[in-house]
Structures are given as C-alpha cells and as structure tokens.
Amino acid sequence: MAAPTDCSLIATDLDGTLLRGDDTFSDRSRAALALAARAGVRHLVVTGRPAPRVRPLLDDLGATGLAVCGQGAQVYEAGADRLLWSVTLDRELAETALGKIEAEVGELYAAVDQDGVDGLTLIEPGYLMPHPTLPAVRVERRDDLWARPISKVLLRHPHLTDDELTATARSVVGSLATVTMSGPGTVELQPCGVTKATGLALAAEHLGLEPGRTVAFGDMPNDIPMFGWAAHGVAMANAHPELKAVADEVTASNEDDGVAVVLERLFGGAEPYVPPRVLPRPRSGKVTR
C-alpha cells in the first residue's frame, strides 16, 4: 500500500526507529521532521518508554505537544508536563501473571514503570536494564515493586530468548494483561487491551486527526497494533521479522536514517539530503580566515 499523499500525521517509535543506538537523533532525522512540519504534518512519538523517560528526548526535539508513552498506557502533553490520559496495571493481577509465567519457565527477573510524570523505574535483584543509559532504582525485594501504581511490568529470563518468553507468557497470562515484546531484552506486561494503537487513537482523536492519513514507523512486534491502525506502516531494516511481515514497506535502518528516507520522499521533493559541512580544525590552533 502506498503512503497517503495527503498525510497529516507521522507516528514514530523511538528505540530502534527514530533514535540511533546512542540515544540521539541524527541531524538528518531532525531536518526531515522539520520538513514534514512545514508541510503541516503533525509528529507523534509513540513509544514503550514511560513519560519521565521520554521527557528529555522530547525536550531535545523541541516538542511541546502530545506523545504516546508506556506502550499506549499514557498520553503525555510535553509542554504542560502532564498526563492527559493514563491507565494502570492492577498490581495484584500483575503479581498473579508473574506467578503463572514463572510456573512455566522458572525464575524471572522483573522491573516496573511507576505511573505518573515523576514515576520511577524500579528493578528487582538480578534484573539488568536493556538500556543502561536509562535511570532505574534497585529495590531489595519483589514486593517493593508494588509500592505505587504501575503502568507496566518488564520481564527478563536468564536463558530463554525474547520470542520464547513472549510466547510462553501469552499462553498462560490470558486476560490478566497484554504481553508485548518491545526490544532486545524487553518483554512486558501492560493493562489488558492497551496497545500502542489504543494510545495513538486517543491522541489522534484529541488532535482531530485520522488513521487514514497516518504513516507509522516502528521496529518491534509491539508496533504491530499501531501499523494496523495507521494507513501505512513502515518497518526499519533492523525490524523484527514479525513486524516486517505486516509492514507496507521496509526502509533503511535506524542508524541509516530510515525514517528520514521516507519523509524526504513524501515531503522533500527530489533533492537528496546533504549533511552539514564540517570545517576541519586548523592544525596550528590558530584561527584561519
């Protein structure tokens, strides 16, 4: 399916999609987003990261509008630093779901994202953060994870692959929670029925925008519902095979500015991107004129 020529909304995942591996946005991606903005197109970040972990990235982009965070559990307004909408995962259900999964696969290591604009990421002993740059607070016992309302639970297994853990979790959790895989080492439990698509639909409705005029970008299976909602889904070259299988097209990788490649095609005409010129430093240390 071709991307809509009257596109009014760009929805982008962050990790593995718009962000490079070092958690930065390239100059080319920034320029392509500015190109879309000049064409009157809105940009929504739609990410698994909770609002507090997204806020610095939105600040870096100069974004003050809405963002969909926490796998769709949060709709965050950056300019006001507030949640317009949020849904929490019942902590008793989460604990029951963990028990059911551990009964099948043995001991798991868990973490949680607390609800709210100042919510913390708590990790129990043995859990390793898949993104070491993201802040987290280690607790002494699993019971400490449930101290405050949470938006989701993150799971890791010492031996199973992410695909194996996801498949087993889905087979035993049932309606207790929605199981997603959002990145390497990132299998998650979130409120039942909540996906990136539900959060994106809420944000788009608030902005008066339609799925038929939306182009979505992603790289992992948690982006599949978003692709189903949008008119056109673009998977990155580094995307999981499950997402590529349902994508309308595959672009370059996140490291090769795959989002920008598509946006330039849609909004930038025929001229290729030219990176900014960097002048070499004078060897003598003197300023040359």
Side-chain angles (χ1 to χ4, degrees):
M1 181 189 299
T5 55
D6 61 343
C7 174
S8 61
L9 176 61
I10 301 295
T12 64
D13 175 46
L14 286 178
D15 296 286
T17 301
L18 188 60
L19 277 176
R20 295 180 293 190
D22 61 358
D23 271 12
T24 63
F25 304 105
S26 72
D27 289 339
R28 183 177 182 182
S29 292
R30 293 175 189 273
L33 290 173
L35 196 65
R38 288 195 295 273
V41 177
R42 300 293 294 263
H43 171 224
L44 276 178
V45 163
V46 185
T47 177
R49 295 193 187 202
R53 307 290 89 80
V54 178
R55 182 166 48 210
L57 297 171
L58 297 175
D59 289 344
D60 187 27
L61 285 176
T64 59
L66 302 186
V68 179
C69 307
Q71 304 293 10
Q74 302 171 326
V75 177
Y76 173 66
E77 185 179 10
D81 190 28
R82 62 171 180 159
L83 292 174
L84 293 186
W85 182 85
S86 70
V87 59
T88 58
L89 174 60
D90 183 278
R91 286 166 281 178
E92 289 187 8
L93 293 182
E95 199 167 13
T96 300
L98 274 178
K100 285 179 171 291
I101 299 169
E102 286 188 317
E104 294 293 323
V105 302
E107 185 179 17
L108 289 168
Y109 302 121
V112 300
D113 285 334
Q114 293 180 331
D115 188 43
V117 294
D118 295 316
L120 301 174
T121 297
L122 305 181
I123 58 178
E124 71 175 354
Y127 186 91
L128 299 177
M129 288 292 289
H131 298 284
T133 60
L134 295 179
V137 176
R138 190 170 296 280
V139 298
E140 294 183 1
R141 305 171 305 157
R142 178 170 291 180
D143 286 348
D144 297 330
L145 297 178
W146 321 123
R148 283 183 49 189
I150 60 174
S151 59
K152 64 180 179 179
V153 178
L154 301 91
L155 310 175
R156 301 198 77 168
H157 192 276
H159 308 300
L160 293 180
T161 66
D162 296 331
D163 291 291
E164 290 169 338
L165 179 56
T166 300
T168 301
R170 284 178 178 160
S171 70
V172 299
V173 164
S175 62
L176 294 174
T178 295
V179 180
T180 61
M181 188 203 320
S182 61
T186 313
V187 177
E188 302 178 357
L189 305 178
Q190 59 202 66
C192 188
V194 170
T195 68
K196 283 191 174 186
T198 60
L200 177 55
L202 283 168
E205 182 180 9
H206 185 81
L207 296 171
L209 301 174
E210 304 170 359
R213 301 178 64 190
T214 300
V215 177
F217 295 82
D219 73 306
M220 292 300 290
N222 63 322
D223 295 311
I224 291 175
M226 179 169 68
F227 278 23
W229 184 87
H232 190 79
V234 184
M236 315 305 290
N238 50 287
H240 191 282
E242 287 183 18
L243 187 68
K244 286 183 177 179
V246 300
D248 295 297
E249 69 171 289
V250 177
T251 185
S253 72
N254 63 317
E255 298 293 346
D256 293 324
D257 300 313
V259 172
V261 169
V262 176
L263 297 186
E264 289 163 2
R265 186 188 79 221
L266 292 176
F267 308 111
E271 293 186 11
Y273 171 79
V274 178
R277 183 173 174 229
V278 179
L279 296 175
R281 292 183 179 179
R283 293 185 180 180
S284 64
K286 297 179 181 180
V287 176
T288 57
R289 298 184 185 276

